[in-house]
Amino acid sequence: MTTQTEPQTTTPRETMRSLPAVFQPYLTWVTGTPLEGGKQLISWSPNKAGVLGLVQMAGGIALGAWALHPFTGWSVPLLVLATLLTTGGMRRLDVVIVHQTLHRMFAKSHTVNRVVGELITTVFWRSPYDENRREHLLHHQFPCSMKDADTRYLLSTGMRPGMSRAEYRRYLWWTLVSPKHHWGFSSGRIVSNFSGPIPRYRLVMSLVWLAATIAFVALTGWWMEYLVLWILPLSVCFQAATFLYTHTEHRWWIFSNAEKLTKKERDHLTFGRMCGEAVPGPEVRGAAKRAAAWTTWWFRILVVHSSYRMFVLVGDTVQHDLHHIHPNCDWANSAYVRSHDIADGSDRYSDVWGSLVDHLHEAGMVGQPLDRLLTPERAGDGR
């Protein structure tokens, strides 16, 4: 695993340049980084990004339905893949499309942004548009502070600065399967759709969706399919992915959750979550060792990093630092926008290369003593 937090002459992505051209679009997707000077094959738009989320979700449900009927020895691995696809599609619609509607960057019309945001969040039992937008804009105004709902959420799960690796590992695994965590997350989602200061039309939408769901399952008798193909991805899997994603979103503790930060400090809160590591180099000698090294590298790319990108780090979220630096950018093509910004001389970005584990450790400042969580600049200026 390669973790890069400072610019280097050769990035892990550049070491992949020697691989066949047919693999390069896939490697750009999985790493979140194009080759220097690389040409973009597909120009993405908000609508295309939304359709991709729908297709991924529908494909996962279709694959899962096929795997269930009939149920064979191959059904279990196919259902695992189907659940990843469905959850990833749901997450893409939520964390990418709904997210951009909150910034009014999905469509030019404020009404269209609201309608799209309300429809998706109703179907997924997420917070209504107005409350969601209010909390998210606070997140941008006071990132990683106690005014940030994400900070409070992580603290509520038991995350603390200065955890050892062993403590952090135990905490992560327990929270991912904790009935208390999932019940609190799920119940909060449901309650937010039926109570509190929500518009009457949104309450009607929630009631209609609930009635339609009950009627559909009752009339078809597909209760098992509904639980396996919809409820499981939408509840436990969706929430586990959201938990991991939120953890890796920022360097949460480096400024002690301060509300007032300089531009440089705000930039340092967020990093590019780049996936992958350098290909085996010439230092790996011998046919057997090189074959083993390449096999391991391809396995990690195809299984470890691709699953992470499909399930947790969906869409443009790899380049989350770009979103905080230039929230009004062409987000659907963020990999190339960020790359061009860096090529033009911007020094506002930092990359962390590796896997989910590397990003978790970077964001959680795992294993670092509390007196080292502050950056030297802030620790020395008396604030």
Side-chain angles (χ1 to χ4, degrees):
M1 291 179 287
T2 302
T3 302
Q4 175 193 336
T5 56
E6 297 297 335
Q8 296 180 355
T9 303
T10 302
T11 66
R13 179 67 178 97
E14 286 300 311
T15 69
M16 305 173 198
R17 186 180 288 274
S18 60
L19 294 172
V22 68
F23 295 138
Q24 295 302 334
Y26 162 72
L27 292 171
T28 294
W29 168 74
V30 73
T31 62
T33 306
L35 290 171
E36 293 180 13
K39 293 184 178 180
Q40 187 172 357
L41 296 180
I42 300 175
S43 180
W44 288 94
S45 68
N47 287 335
K48 289 179 183 177
V51 169
L52 181 60
L54 288 171
V55 169
Q56 181 178 341
M57 183 178 68
I61 293 172
L63 177 61
W66 182 69
L68 283 174
H69 302 287
F71 191 86
T72 67
W74 286 101
S75 294
V76 173
L78 287 175
L79 284 171
V80 170
L81 177 59
T83 302
L84 282 175
L85 284 169
T86 304
T87 305
M90 291 173 170
R91 292 264 307 143
R92 184 182 291 273
L93 291 170
D94 180 72
V95 80
V96 176
I97 303 304
V98 171
H99 175 217
Q100 292 301 333
T101 68
L102 301 179
H103 287 279
R104 297 174 176 169
M105 288 293 294
F106 176 75
K108 293 181 180 179
S109 166
H110 293 347
T111 300
V112 172
N113 283 305
R114 176 180 288 276
V115 168
V116 171
E118 294 282 38
L119 283 173
I120 295 174
T121 53
T122 298
V123 170
F124 293 163
W125 299 117
R126 296 288 275 164
S127 297
Y129 184 84
D130 289 321
E131 179 64 16
N132 201 352
R133 187 169 191 270
R134 185 190 68 81
E135 287 195 349
H136 189 68
L137 293 183
L138 277 174
H139 165 76
H140 274 266
Q141 189 176 0
F142 303 103
C144 303
S145 73
M146 293 309 297
K147 289 185 177 180
D148 184 348
D150 289 343
T151 305
R152 299 195 302 273
Y153 162 67
L154 290 174
L155 288 170
S156 74
T157 66
M159 187 183 184
R160 294 291 184 273
M163 281 183 169
S164 69
R165 288 177 180 260
E167 290 171 334
Y168 193 61
R169 191 181 307 114
R170 287 195 298 270
Y171 151 72
L172 281 176
W173 281 114
W174 169 244
T175 308
L176 283 171
V177 300
S178 167
K180 180 180 179 181
H181 171 244
H182 284 290
W183 171 249
F185 203 148
S186 298
S187 60
R189 290 166 64 182
I190 299 299
V191 169
S192 70
N193 280 268
F194 295 99
S195 67
I198 62 175
R200 182 167 297 182
Y201 72 82
R202 177 54 191 262
L203 176 60
V204 172
M205 290 173 68
S206 297
L207 290 170
V208 169
W209 177 240
L210 177 62
T213 299
I214 294 173
F216 174 80
V217 176
L219 291 173
T220 61
W222 293 346
W223 61 269
M224 182 181 69
E225 289 85 351
Y226 176 69
L227 291 174
V228 174
L229 304 180
W230 185 259
I231 292 299
L232 177 62
L234 185 60
S235 57
V236 175
C237 298
F238 186 101
Q239 290 163 183
T242 300
F243 170 71
L244 294 172
Y245 172 85
T246 306
H247 261 277
T248 62
E249 201 173 19
H250 295 284
R251 296 179 174 104
W252 293 98
W253 314 122
I254 57 174
F255 301 123
S256 298
N257 308 120
E259 292 180 10
K260 295 182 179 180
L261 300 173
T262 66
K263 183 175 74 171
K264 183 177 181 180
E265 289 170 341
R266 289 171 68 92
D267 289 349
H268 196 60
L269 286 175
T270 315
F271 54 92
R273 291 172 282 186
M274 306 307 170
C275 302
E277 51 253 14
V279 302
E283 70 279 0
V284 182
R285 299 182 179 180
K289 289 184 177 180
R290 286 194 65 78
W294 275 103
T295 299
T296 300
W297 187 87
W298 275 112
F299 174 82
R300 289 183 58 77
I301 285 289
L302 293 170
V303 177
V304 176
H305 300 301
S306 292
S307 297
Y308 180 29
R309 286 288 278 122
M310 183 194 309
F311 185 52
V312 179
L313 202 61
V314 296
D316 67 320
T317 58
V318 177
Q319 303 87 20
H320 191 63
D321 52 353
L322 170 67
H323 173 66
H324 277 264
I325 292 170
H326 299 298
N328 296 326
C329 72
D330 178 14
W331 59 269
N333 298 288
S334 60
Y336 288 87
V337 173
R338 185 181 188 274
S339 178
H340 292 158
D341 203 17
I342 293 173
D344 289 341
S346 176
D347 62 353
R348 299 185 65 183
Y349 303 93
S350 64
D351 297 344
V352 176
W353 282 87
S355 66
L356 170 61
V357 173
D358 298 291
H359 298 157
L360 285 168
H361 286 175
E362 178 71 18
M365 313 301 287
V366 177
Q368 298 193 32
L370 287 173
D371 61 355
R372 293 184 181 179
L373 290 179
L374 294 175
T375 59
E377 293 86 352
R378 177 166 280 267
D381 68 6
R383 284 186 287 174

